[in-house]
Amino acid sequence: MCIYYTIGCSLLDQTIFCYGGYTEISTDTATNAFFGLNISQPITKISAETSWVDLTKPSNNVVLEANANFAMTSVPQRGLLFVSGGDGYNHTDLDRQVSIYFASNNTWVNVAVPQSDFEQMFDETAVADAQGNNVYLWGGETVQVASISAGWLLRRTKCHCCSLLRIH
């Protein structure tokens, strides 16, 4: 695993998952790298450095976007990782604003968000509630409400306030 910064990492089912980040400080080039480290057994410094598994090519062949400065959290009750917003390759807009990773079958689902209803955000953070029904996002500068496919609703509020994603 290379050195990245502004990367997203989260723990799910005894695996640490890390996604994206910038690869070069001088250019802020985002990557789509996605790795997992199983911590179900004791690990040493050497095994922690050498046991990362490259998951960049998921089993359903979804191509991950290069991304950095995004919100990422685990929802263990649902066996998923949630990724929202970010900064795309060479500081471009992302094609997909919300993505969900299902660890049980190593698949990503990109949640369709109407561009007219959603503005890309970065440098936000996310946390799931104890029941796994809601993801709260903190950060942002715009007011947007978007209906998202599969019964998801995302609310964004102005300037560093809470947001809610309800998982049905």
Side-chain angles (χ1 to χ4, degrees):
M1 188 166 141
C2 297
I3 303 298
Y4 302 110
Y5 67 102
T6 65
I7 190 171
C9 292
S10 193
L11 176 67
L12 180 65
D13 297 331
Q14 298 197 40
T15 299
I16 298 171
F17 293 96
C18 294
Y19 167 57
Y22 294 122
T23 58
E24 303 208 14
I25 293 173
S26 62
T27 61
D28 281 347
T29 302
T31 181
N32 70 342
F34 182 54
F35 291 91
L37 176 65
N38 184 318
I39 58 169
S40 62
Q41 301 295 320
I43 57 175
T44 65
K45 180 180 178 194
I46 293 172
S47 67
E49 293 173 353
T50 60
S51 298
W52 289 90
V53 176
D54 187 346
L55 300 168
T56 306
K57 295 181 180 177
S59 61
N60 62 341
N61 295 318
V62 169
V63 177
L64 299 177
E65 286 189 86
N67 199 357
N69 286 325
F70 50 86
M72 179 174 170
T73 192
S74 61
V75 184
Q77 304 84 341
R78 307 225 178 212
L80 63 85
L81 298 174
F82 170 85
V83 176
S84 176
D87 187 17
Y89 184 78
N90 285 336
H91 303 289
T92 58
D93 285 346
L94 299 168
D95 290 332
R96 298 166 217 87
Q97 303 297 320
V98 176
S99 296
I100 298 167
Y101 176 73
F102 294 93
S104 62
N105 57 4
N106 186 31
T107 58
W108 282 90
V109 174
N110 295 309
V111 180
V113 179
Q115 290 299 317
S116 61
D117 294 338
F118 194 86
E119 186 172 335
Q120 180 172 328
M121 305 200 30
F122 61 94
D123 283 340
E124 61 187 347
T125 192
V127 66
D129 68 13
Q131 295 76 33
N133 293 326
N134 299 289
V135 172
Y136 296 93
L137 300 170
W138 183 263
E141 297 181 5
T142 61
V143 177
Q144 298 291 329
V145 177
S147 295
I148 301 177
S149 65
W152 298 66
L153 179 68
L154 180 66
R155 290 189 178 96
R156 299 213 178 263
T157 56
K158 192 169 188 166
C159 197
H160 299 21
C161 296
C162 289
S163 300
L164 169 70
L165 175 71
R166 183 172 258 326
I167 303 171
H168 296 281

